[in-house]
Amino acid sequence: MGEILALDASGLTKVYGSGHTEVVALRDASMRVRRGEVVALLGPSGAGKSTFLLCVGLINPPTRGGIAIGGRRVQDGARSFGDLRRFRRENIGFVFQKSNLIPFLSAIENVQVVGELIGRPPSLARRRAMELLEALGVGPRAFNMPTQLSGGEQQRVTVARALANRPSLILADEPTAALDSKRGRQVMELFRDVAHEHGTGVIVVTHDHRALDVFDTVYEMEDGMLKPAAHEQVAETVRQPGTA
Amino acid sequence: MSGWSDVTVYTGAQQEDLLLRGSVDRARRQIQLFRVLLTLISAVIMALIIYTLTLDKLHPLALLKLIGAPNRTIIGLILQQALIMGGLAFGVGYGVGLKLFPMFPRRVLVTNDDLLRVAGIVLLISVFSSLLGIWKAMRVAPSEAIG
């Protein structure tokens, strides 16, 4: 029996519009992410990275191609299998560029809400939320509102929220864009630790070349095409930040 | 006496009916119309308030959809907000009435039946006024939470 992958995306193609207005955002993109693997996705703006995340995050269906998450086939072209929103809340965690916390809920409530959505009793969801916040070093700030937290703390709370449903896959779109280099690296290392500790597959879209050594695998995307980055190129990028 | 040509004889019930059909009836109809108008206006105002509150929360609502919140949870949140607003309005209205009615030139009689009827109307207004907000919330795409 084969290994159960956190993500198995094959031949994803996304076409917006039709006829002379047709734009191909993704071209036959395939990616396999093992449990516990941390993957970086590089590429210039407009290359299709966010479209790829939207497709594998089951938010925007691909025009063609299949997606399996945690060993379960969920999408085949525009055809989906089962309730995607339910699948998302039980199997996928999201971290985005902005912290994206619900502004009128405290840090702990932002994490707790995910537990409650998947049917945990409020007391259990709250306990789990507190454990995660403490594990990520923001336990003392649990009862603060998002506006009272620093950028780094907000991003840690977002990571805690992404972990609250024990997901198979975490998708992060430029999670360190609003952070300084030190904090950015801490967040990247946090993803690596979380992936290794929880056996969660993590895909991080990033422009931060200084932290590429944190990742197990690095992919590049250009003009909607996805390919693994060459080891030499990644090593060179790590040595000479910002030159890739 | 009813046989006399210059007088008309009424029973007690007929006298009451005659009085109510005259100026009192007209006043009652005017008050009724005023009440209907107030009910409609309050429903419109409440619908606009809930719609505006929903517009303010579109990003968090998109975020909730993104992390997988089912539609019934989102509908529940908006309904809950509307019902709390309706309940507060009912409570405030009742409290203000208790203070103000004794100052009116005429006695104002509010029976338990009246209160129950008003509570029912408030409930209906709360539910119907949240429909516009719910419609807007249902149209928000999860991808709007990103970027």
Side-chain angles (χ1 to χ4, degrees), chain A residues 96-150:
Chain A
F96 290 100
Q97 185 174 343
K98 290 192 295 179
S99 70
N100 253 331
L101 295 171
I102 297 172
F104 46 84
L105 297 180
S106 65
I108 192 168
E109 287 166 341
N110 263 286
V111 182
Q112 183 183 340
V113 73
V114 176
E116 290 190 35
L117 283 176
I118 58 171
R120 285 195 194 124
S123 59
L124 188 63
R126 196 168 186 84
R127 199 162 61 235
R128 165 90 176 139
M130 197 63 203
E131 284 168 8
L132 284 167
L133 290 173
E134 278 172 355
L136 294 171
V138 276
R141 312 283 275 156
F143 298 97
N144 285 89
M145 301 306 281
T147 49
Q148 297 171 310
L149 304 174
S150 70

Coordinates of all heavy atoms in Angstrom, one line a residue, chain A residues 96-150:
Chain A
F96 N -2.3 33.5 5.8 CA -2.1 34.4 4.7 C -1.2 35.6 5.1 O -0.8 35.7 6.2 CB -3.4 34.9 4.1 CG -4.1 33.7 3.4 CD1 -5.1 33.0 4.1 CD2 -3.7 33.4 2.2 CE1 -5.7 31.9 3.4 CE2 -4.3 32.3 1.5 CZ -5.3 31.6 2.1
Q97 N -0.9 36.4 4.1 CA 0.0 37.5 4.2 C -0.3 38.4 5.4 O 0.5 38.7 6.2 CB 0.0 38.3 2.9 CG 1.0 39.4 2.9 CD 1.1 40.0 1.5 OE1 0.6 39.5 0.5 NE2 1.7 41.2 1.4
K98 N -1.6 38.9 5.3 CA -2.1 39.6 6.5 C -2.5 38.6 7.5 O -2.8 37.4 7.2 CB -3.3 40.5 6.1 CG -2.9 41.6 5.2 CD -4.0 42.6 5.0 CE -5.2 42.0 4.3 NZ -6.3 42.9 4.2
S99 N -2.5 39.0 8.8 CA -2.8 37.9 9.8 C -4.2 37.4 9.7 O -4.4 36.2 10.0 CB -2.6 38.6 11.2 OG -3.6 39.5 11.4
N100 N -5.1 38.1 9.1 CA -6.5 37.6 8.9 C -7.2 37.0 10.1 O -7.8 36.0 10.0 CB -6.4 36.6 7.8 CG -7.0 37.1 6.5 OD1 -7.8 38.0 6.5 ND2 -6.5 36.6 5.3
L101 N -7.0 37.7 11.2 CA -7.7 37.3 12.4 C -9.1 38.0 12.4 O -9.2 39.1 11.9 CB -6.9 37.6 13.6 CG -5.6 36.9 13.8 CD1 -4.8 37.4 15.0 CD2 -5.8 35.4 14.0
I102 N -10.1 37.4 13.1 CA -11.4 38.0 13.2 C -11.2 39.1 14.2 O -10.9 38.9 15.4 CB -12.4 37.0 13.6 CG1 -12.6 35.9 12.4 CG2 -13.8 37.7 13.8 CD1 -13.4 34.8 12.8
P103 N -11.4 40.4 13.8 CA -11.0 41.5 14.7 C -11.8 41.6 16.0 O -11.3 42.2 16.9 CB -11.3 42.7 13.8 CG -12.2 42.3 12.7 CD -12.0 40.8 12.5
F104 N -13.0 41.1 16.0 CA -13.8 41.3 17.2 C -13.7 40.1 18.1 O -14.5 40.0 19.1 CB -15.3 41.7 16.9 CG -15.9 40.8 15.8 CD1 -16.4 39.6 16.1 CD2 -15.9 41.3 14.5 CE1 -17.0 38.8 15.1 CE2 -16.4 40.5 13.5 CZ -17.0 39.3 13.8
L105 N -12.8 39.1 17.9 CA -12.6 38.0 18.7 C -11.2 38.1 19.3 O -10.3 38.5 18.6 CB -12.8 36.7 18.0 CG -14.1 36.4 17.4 CD1 -14.1 35.0 16.7 CD2 -15.2 36.4 18.4
S106 N -11.0 37.6 20.6 CA -9.7 37.6 21.2 C -8.8 36.5 20.5 O -9.4 35.7 19.7 CB -9.8 37.3 22.7 OG -10.3 36.0 22.9
A107 N -7.5 36.5 20.8 CA -6.6 35.5 20.2 C -7.1 34.1 20.4 O -7.2 33.3 19.5 CB -5.2 35.7 20.8
I108 N -7.5 33.8 21.7 CA -7.9 32.4 22.0 C -9.3 32.1 21.3 O -9.4 31.0 20.8 CB -8.0 32.2 23.5 CG1 -8.1 30.7 23.8 CG2 -9.1 33.0 24.2 CD1 -7.9 30.3 25.2
E109 N -10.1 33.1 21.2 CA -11.4 32.8 20.5 C -11.2 32.6 19.0 O -11.9 31.8 18.4 CB -12.4 34.0 20.7 CG -12.9 34.1 22.1 CD -13.6 35.4 22.5 OE1 -13.3 36.4 21.8 OE2 -14.3 35.5 23.5
N110 N -10.2 33.3 18.4 CA -9.9 33.1 17.0 C -9.5 31.7 16.7 O -9.8 31.1 15.7 CB -8.8 34.1 16.5 CG -9.4 35.3 15.9 OD1 -9.8 35.2 14.7 ND2 -9.4 36.4 16.6
V111 N -8.8 31.1 17.7 CA -8.4 29.7 17.5 C -9.5 28.7 17.9 O -9.7 27.7 17.2 CB -7.1 29.4 18.4 CG1 -6.6 28.0 18.1 CG2 -6.0 30.4 18.0
Q112 N -10.2 29.1 18.9 CA -11.3 28.2 19.5 C -12.4 28.0 18.4 O -13.0 26.9 18.3 CB -11.8 28.9 20.7 CG -12.9 28.1 21.4 CD -13.5 28.8 22.6 OE1 -12.9 29.8 23.1 NE2 -14.7 28.5 23.0
V113 N -12.6 29.0 17.6 CA -13.8 29.0 16.7 C -13.6 27.8 15.7 O -14.6 27.2 15.3 CB -13.9 30.3 16.0 CG1 -12.9 30.6 14.9 CG2 -15.3 30.4 15.3
V114 N -12.3 27.5 15.3 CA -12.1 26.4 14.4 C -12.5 25.1 15.1 O -13.1 24.2 14.4 CB -10.6 26.4 13.9 CG1 -10.4 25.2 13.0 CG2 -10.3 27.7 13.2
G115 N -12.1 24.9 16.3 CA -12.4 23.7 17.1 C -13.9 23.5 17.1 O -14.5 22.4 17.0
E116 N -14.6 24.6 17.4 CA -16.1 24.5 17.5 C -16.7 24.2 16.2 O -17.7 23.5 16.1 CB -16.6 25.8 18.1 CG -16.3 26.0 19.6 CD -17.0 27.1 20.2 OE1 -18.2 27.4 19.9 OE2 -16.4 27.8 21.1
L117 N -16.1 24.8 15.1 CA -16.7 24.5 13.8 C -16.6 23.0 13.4 O -17.5 22.5 12.7 CB -16.0 25.3 12.7 CG -16.3 26.8 12.6 CD1 -15.5 27.5 11.6 CD2 -17.8 27.0 12.3
I118 N -15.6 22.3 13.9 CA -15.5 20.9 13.6 C -16.2 20.0 14.6 O -16.1 18.8 14.6 CB -14.0 20.4 13.4 CG1 -13.2 20.7 14.7 CG2 -13.4 21.1 12.2 CD1 -11.8 20.0 14.6
G119 N -17.0 20.7 15.5 CA -17.9 20.0 16.4 C -17.4 19.7 17.8 O -18.0 18.9 18.5
R120 N -16.2 20.2 18.1 CA -15.7 20.0 19.5 C -16.6 20.8 20.5 O -17.0 21.9 20.1 CB -14.3 20.5 19.6 CG -13.3 19.5 19.0 CD -11.9 19.9 19.5 NE -10.9 19.2 18.6 CZ -9.9 19.8 17.9 NH1 -9.8 21.1 18.1 NH2 -9.1 19.2 17.1
P121 N -16.8 20.3 21.7 CA -17.5 21.1 22.7 C -16.6 22.3 23.0 O -15.4 22.3 22.9 CB -17.5 20.2 23.9 CG -17.2 18.8 23.4 CD -16.4 19.0 22.2
P122 N -17.3 23.5 23.3 CA -16.6 24.7 23.5 C -15.4 24.6 24.5 O -14.3 25.2 24.3 CB -17.6 25.7 24.0 CG -18.9 25.2 23.4 CD -18.8 23.7 23.4
S123 N -15.6 23.9 25.6 CA -14.6 23.8 26.6 C -13.4 23.1 26.1 O -12.2 23.5 26.3 CB -15.1 23.1 27.9 OG -15.6 21.8 27.5
L124 N -13.6 22.0 25.3 CA -12.5 21.3 24.7 C -11.8 22.1 23.7 O -10.5 22.1 23.6 CB -13.0 20.0 24.1 CG -12.0 19.0 23.7 CD1 -11.2 18.5 24.8 CD2 -12.7 17.8 23.0
A125 N -12.6 22.8 22.9 CA -12.0 23.6 21.8 C -11.1 24.7 22.4 O -10.1 25.1 21.9 CB -13.1 24.2 21.0
R126 N -11.6 25.3 23.6 CA -10.9 26.3 24.2 C -9.6 25.8 24.8 O -8.5 26.5 24.7 CB -11.7 26.9 25.3 CG -11.2 28.3 25.8 CD -12.3 28.9 26.7 NE -12.0 30.3 27.1 CZ -12.2 31.4 26.3 NH1 -12.7 31.3 25.1 NH2 -11.8 32.6 26.8
R127 N -9.6 24.6 25.4 CA -8.4 24.0 26.0 C -7.4 23.8 24.9 O -6.2 24.1 25.1 CB -8.8 22.7 26.7 CG -7.7 22.3 27.7 CD -8.2 21.3 28.8 NE -8.6 20.1 28.2 CZ -9.8 19.5 28.4 NH1 -10.7 20.2 29.2 NH2 -10.2 18.4 27.9
R128 N -7.8 23.2 23.8 CA -6.9 22.9 22.7 C -6.3 24.2 22.1 O -5.1 24.3 21.8 CB -7.7 22.2 21.6 CG -7.0 22.1 20.2 CD -6.1 20.9 20.1 NE -5.6 20.8 18.7 CZ -4.4 20.5 18.5 NH1 -3.5 20.2 19.4 NH2 -3.9 20.5 17.2
A129 N -7.2 25.3 22.1 CA -6.7 26.6 21.6 C -5.6 27.1 22.5 O -4.6 27.6 22.0 CB -7.9 27.6 21.5
M130 N -5.8 27.0 23.8 CA -4.8 27.5 24.8 C -3.5 26.7 24.6 O -2.4 27.3 24.7 CB -5.4 27.4 26.2 CG -4.7 28.2 27.2 SD -4.8 30.0 26.8 CE -3.4 30.6 27.6
E131 N -3.6 25.4 24.5 CA -2.4 24.5 24.3 C -1.6 25.0 23.1 O -0.4 25.1 23.2 CB -2.8 23.1 24.1 CG -3.3 22.4 25.4 CD -3.9 21.0 25.1 OE1 -3.9 20.6 23.9 OE2 -4.5 20.4 26.0
L132 N -2.3 25.3 22.0 CA -1.6 25.7 20.8 C -1.0 27.0 21.0 O 0.2 27.2 20.6 CB -2.6 25.7 19.6 CG -3.0 24.4 19.0 CD1 -4.2 24.5 18.1 CD2 -1.8 23.7 18.3
L133 N -1.7 28.0 21.6 CA -1.2 29.3 21.8 C 0.1 29.2 22.7 O 1.1 29.9 22.4 CB -2.2 30.2 22.3 CG -3.4 30.6 21.4 CD1 -4.4 31.4 22.1 CD2 -2.9 31.4 20.2
E134 N 0.0 28.4 23.7 CA 1.2 28.3 24.6 C 2.3 27.6 23.8 O 3.5 28.1 24.0 CB 0.8 27.5 25.8 CG 0.1 28.3 26.8 CD -0.5 27.6 28.0 OE1 -0.4 26.3 28.0 OE2 -1.0 28.2 28.9
A135 N 2.0 26.6 23.0 CA 3.1 25.9 22.3 C 3.8 26.9 21.3 O 5.0 26.8 21.0 CB 2.5 24.8 21.5
L136 N 3.0 27.9 20.8 CA 3.6 28.8 19.9 C 4.1 30.1 20.5 O 4.4 31.1 19.9 CB 2.5 29.2 18.8 CG 2.1 28.0 17.9 CD1 0.9 28.3 17.0 CD2 3.3 27.5 17.0
G137 N 4.1 30.1 21.8 CA 4.7 31.2 22.6 C 3.8 32.4 22.7 O 4.3 33.5 23.0
V138 N 2.5 32.3 22.5 CA 1.6 33.5 22.6 C 0.5 33.2 23.7 O -0.5 33.9 23.7 CB 1.0 33.9 21.3 CG1 1.9 34.8 20.5 CG2 0.6 32.8 20.4
G139 N 0.8 32.2 24.5 CA -0.2 31.9 25.6 C -0.5 33.1 26.5 O -1.7 33.4 26.7
P140 N 0.6 33.9 26.9 CA 0.3 35.1 27.7 C -0.6 36.1 27.1 O -1.1 37.0 27.7 CB 1.7 35.6 28.1 CG 2.6 34.5 27.8 CD 2.0 33.7 26.7
R141 N -0.7 36.1 25.7 CA -1.5 37.1 25.0 C -2.8 36.5 24.5 O -3.5 37.1 23.7 CB -0.7 37.5 23.7 CG 0.8 37.9 24.0 CD 0.9 39.2 24.7 NE 0.9 40.3 23.7 CZ 0.6 41.5 23.9 NH1 0.2 41.9 25.1 NH2 0.7 42.4 23.0
A142 N -3.2 35.4 25.1 CA -4.4 34.7 24.6 C -5.7 35.5 24.7 O -6.6 35.4 23.8 CB -4.6 33.4 25.4
F143 N -5.7 36.4 25.7 CA -7.0 37.1 25.9 C -6.9 38.5 25.3 O -7.8 39.3 25.5 CB -7.4 37.1 27.3 CG -7.6 35.7 27.8 CD1 -6.6 35.0 28.5 CD2 -8.8 35.0 27.5 CE1 -6.8 33.7 28.9 CE2 -9.0 33.7 27.9 CZ -8.0 33.0 28.6
N144 N -5.9 38.8 24.6 CA -5.8 40.1 23.9 C -6.5 40.1 22.6 O -6.6 39.0 21.9 CB -4.3 40.4 23.6 CG -3.6 40.9 24.9 OD1 -3.0 40.0 25.6 ND2 -3.6 42.1 25.2
M145 N -7.0 41.3 22.2 CA -7.6 41.4 20.9 C -6.5 41.5 19.8 O -5.4 41.9 20.1 CB -8.5 42.6 20.8 CG -9.6 42.7 21.8 SD -10.7 41.2 21.8 CE -11.7 41.6 20.4
P146 N -6.8 41.1 18.6 CA -5.8 41.2 17.5 C -5.1 42.5 17.4 O -3.9 42.5 17.2 CB -6.6 40.9 16.2 CG -7.7 40.0 16.7 CD -8.1 40.5 18.1
T147 N -5.8 43.6 17.6 CA -5.1 44.9 17.4 C -4.1 45.2 18.6 O -3.3 46.1 18.4 CB -6.2 46.1 17.5 OG1 -7.0 45.8 18.6 CG2 -7.0 46.1 16.2
Q148 N -4.2 44.4 19.6 CA -3.2 44.6 20.7 C -2.0 43.7 20.6 O -1.1 43.7 21.4 CB -3.9 44.2 22.1 CG -5.1 45.1 22.4 CD -5.9 44.7 23.6 OE1 -6.3 43.5 23.7 NE2 -6.2 45.5 24.5
L149 N -1.9 42.9 19.5 CA -0.8 42.0 19.3 C 0.1 42.6 18.2 O -0.3 43.3 17.3 CB -1.3 40.6 18.8 CG -2.3 39.9 19.7 CD1 -2.9 38.7 19.0 CD2 -1.7 39.6 21.0
S150 N 1.4 42.2 18.3 CA 2.4 42.7 17.3 C 2.1 41.8 16.0 O 1.4 40.8 16.1 CB 3.8 42.5 17.8 OG 4.1 41.1 17.9

